[in-house]
Amino acid sequence: MTFDYDLFVIGAGSGGLAASKRAASYGAKVAIAEESLVGGTCVVRGCIPKKLMVYGSRFPALFHDAAGYGWHVGETSLDWQHFITVIDNEVNRLSQLHINFLAKAGVELIPSRAALIDPHTIEVDGRKVTAEKILIAVGGRPIKPDIPGMEHVITSNEMFHLPEKPKHIAIIGAGYIGVEFACIMRGLGCEVTQIIRKDLILRGFDRDIRNEIQQGMIHHGIQVITDNVVKAIDRVPKGLKLTLSDQDREPVVADVVLAATGRTPYVEGLGLENAGIDLVPSSLEGPGYSTTKAIAVNEFSQTSQPHIFAVGDCTDRINLTPVAIGEGRAFADTEFGNLRRAFNHEIVASAVFSTPEAATVGMTEDDAIAQLSEDGVKIYRARFRPLFHSLTGAADKTLMKLVVDAQTERVLGAHMVGEYSAEIIQGVAIAVTMGATKKDFDATVGIHPSTAEEFVTMR
């Protein structure tokens, strides 16, 4: 059978872009369909605009800290319209850059939603095309819990387009998206209330990291309401009223409410059933949610149809941009480059761009104990005030931690809370991935004076 394309990619986010360009470099005829801006969640409504907001939110603290070094900073103010406009301009610039990269690689871009009609046929832009292989890389979307009044609530998608800076924002959710936006908005001068179901934020991270970030957020003026869920949201003259499960607590009234309670694979309307593609329950959990589904794949990102593949957040494995890129490139190498390989999901570094910032790679302490026993794990921990704050007077602390196999001395995990955590852990991740031992860390000469040197001097 003759096909229109060797590869048809649905979704021009991180995974789809990486896979399509890599496949085209091997000589494949490739098309990619995207219904929104090219770049996906990361470029358009996630990592990039969020990190720019993080940068913007940290200037007030720098203005304040400058006084400890003798600088006198005058009255400051934020031009909100300028702030969101320049971020949006950068998003559009990067999206156009990715379009140019596709053209240079010889990938045909179809600006339209695509759906499967049968295992080899796609309906796109009002026409039907065929492909020998199909890659689904549609990512995920934010989801709201089924709570009365949720029509008044925004998601992370709308956070980058608020017409004005909120005076008081309430955030529902304990994950990294809720935590990061809580810190961003507090840094920008908003009153912030974050409501979480349990006692700590950031389920799945090391407990020391969770505690340190949460206490740091509280120290910076964020009200964290623990062990509560929102039962209803009503519009009142002063804004939006959030009724909590703890009836002894006063309702929270804010002018903006953000639901940061999870993301689900964006698989609706793809026609997966027409192609016989199996789905599995996603990892999204919590009261008020209906069952959500992810695309089932094997270690080579292959679905139940051997010629149809899926990468990135729509598979709900590890929902991070570099993972989607890695999965996409591994798929292209395997299917078009005669280099069969699977992406390794075992050790993946990640960061939370909160205030204080955090980053991590490898096992948490609890995971290591569960695998090796309590006696089989050795913990090295340091908590101190960074040199920068010796003159500012700020009480901010840095926490650094190594999780080590007591028998082999292999470093199983590295965790950090404090300034430049992401930059530091990126380098440490190389050592952890290579299987470095605590002796290897000890034998490394530190760079003094730096925060990072603590990782090679901990005893």
Side-chain angles (χ1 to χ4, degrees), residues 370-381:
Q371 182 171 311
L372 299 175
S373 82
E374 193 162 350
D375 291 337
V377 177
K378 197 168 184 179
I379 301 299
Y380 297 84
R381 186 187 292 105

Side-chain angles (χ1 to χ4, degrees), residues 144 147-154 233 235:
K144 300 178 184 179
I147 296 171
M150 270 291 156
E151 66 271 16
H152 304 306
V153 173
I154 66 172
I233 300 169
R235 188 170 290 284

Side-chain angles (χ1 to χ4, degrees), residues 119-397:
H120 282 284
T121 309
I122 307 103
E123 184 172 14
V124 61
D125 197 25
R127 58 194 174 99
K128 296 177 182 179
V129 299
T130 59
E132 182 177 4
K133 291 183 172 66
I134 297 169
L135 175 67
I136 303 169
V138 291
R141 61 178 178 84
I143 188 171
K144 300 178 184 179
D146 186 13
I147 296 171
M150 270 291 156
E151 66 271 16
H152 304 306
V153 173
I154 66 172
T155 69
S156 56
N157 285 355
E158 293 80 49
M159 281 298 296
F160 306 108
H161 304 285
L162 292 173
E164 58 185 24
K165 187 179 79 172
K167 293 179 180 177
H168 182 187
I169 182 170
I171 297 174
I172 308 169
Y176 75 92
I177 294 174
V179 167
E180 288 176 338
F181 275 118
C183 296
I184 287 168
M185 301 311 288
R186 181 58 188 160
L188 293 172
C190 304
E191 181 182 352
V192 179
T193 302
Q194 186 165 6
I195 303 156
I196 64 177
R197 285 193 296 132
K198 298 185 179 180
D199 63 326
L200 279 178
I201 56 173
L202 299 173
R203 178 175 63 90
F205 284 77
D206 189 271
R207 178 165 284 271
D208 281 343
I209 301 301
R210 300 168 71 191
N211 271 310
E212 194 72 20
I213 298 174
Q214 187 160 310
Q215 290 307 309
M217 291 170 65
I218 294 169
H219 172 71
H220 285 102
I222 296 171
Q223 182 187 19
V224 180
I225 299 177
T226 62
D227 302 303
N228 263 276
V229 296
V230 177
K231 304 298 288 185
I233 300 169
D234 299 288
R235 188 170 290 284
V236 296
K238 291 185 177 180
L240 296 172
K241 182 180 77 172
L242 286 71
T243 302
L244 305 179
S245 55
D246 183 353
Q247 297 179 359
D248 294 331
R249 270 193 175 272
E250 288 291 318
V252 175
V253 179
D255 47 320
V256 171
V257 178
L258 166 65
T261 47
R263 294 177 61 83
T264 186
Y266 185 30
V267 297
E268 299 85 357
L270 285 176
L272 300 180
E273 65 283 0
N274 299 331
I277 296 174
D278 291 343
L279 300 174
V280 293
S282 78
S283 60
L284 189 66
E285 62 178 41
Y289 287 118
S290 58
T291 302
T292 58
K293 299 288 188 179
I295 298 175
V297 293
N298 64 15
E299 68 271 28
F300 294 100
S301 297
Q302 193 173 38
T303 72
S304 51
Q305 286 283 3
H307 68 282
I308 299 179
F309 302 79
V311 298
D313 292 6
C314 64
T315 66
D316 197 32
R317 288 177 283 182
I318 299 177
N319 299 334
L320 293 171
T321 293
V323 172
I325 292 171
E327 291 169 352
R329 288 175 177 165
F331 151 76
D333 289 342
T334 299
E335 296 300 317
F336 297 97
N338 197 29
L339 177 62
R340 186 170 175 80
R341 67 183 185 91
F343 179 81
N344 184 2
H345 296 84
E346 288 300 312
I347 300 177
V348 176
S350 63
V352 182
F353 293 106
S354 48
T355 303
E357 183 174 301
T360 179
V361 62
M363 289 188 184
T364 67
E365 180 178 351
D366 289 344
D367 288 342
I369 289 173
Q371 182 171 311
L372 299 175
S373 82
E374 193 162 350
D375 291 337
V377 177
K378 197 168 184 179
I379 301 299
Y380 297 84
R381 186 187 292 105
R383 187 174 185 268
F384 54 92
R385 184 172 70 173
L387 180 62
F388 174 76
H389 287 302
S390 62
L391 300 186
T392 69
D396 296 44
K397 300 287 193 231

Side-chain angles (χ1 to χ4, degrees), residues 7-22 30-45 95 98-99 102 107-116 122-124 133-140 266-270 272 295 308-314 324-325 327-329 331:
L7 173 65
F8 194 98
V9 181
I10 304 176
S14 299
L17 290 170
S20 62
K21 290 182 291 185
R22 181 67 63 91
V30 183
I32 187 168
E34 175 55 59
E35 63 178 327
S36 183
L37 286 179
V38 170
T41 296
C42 180
V43 171
V44 179
R45 62 192 73 87
S95 180
H98 282 293
I99 292 173
L102 287 174
V107 177
E108 179 186 349
L109 172 63
I110 305 173
S112 174
R113 175 76 165 168
L116 296 166
I122 307 103
E123 184 172 14
V124 61
K133 291 183 172 66
I134 297 169
L135 175 67
I136 303 169
V138 291
Y266 185 30
V267 297
E268 299 85 357
L270 285 176
L272 300 180
I295 298 175
I308 299 179
F309 302 79
V311 298
D313 292 6
C314 64
I325 292 171
E327 291 169 352
R329 288 175 177 165
F331 151 76

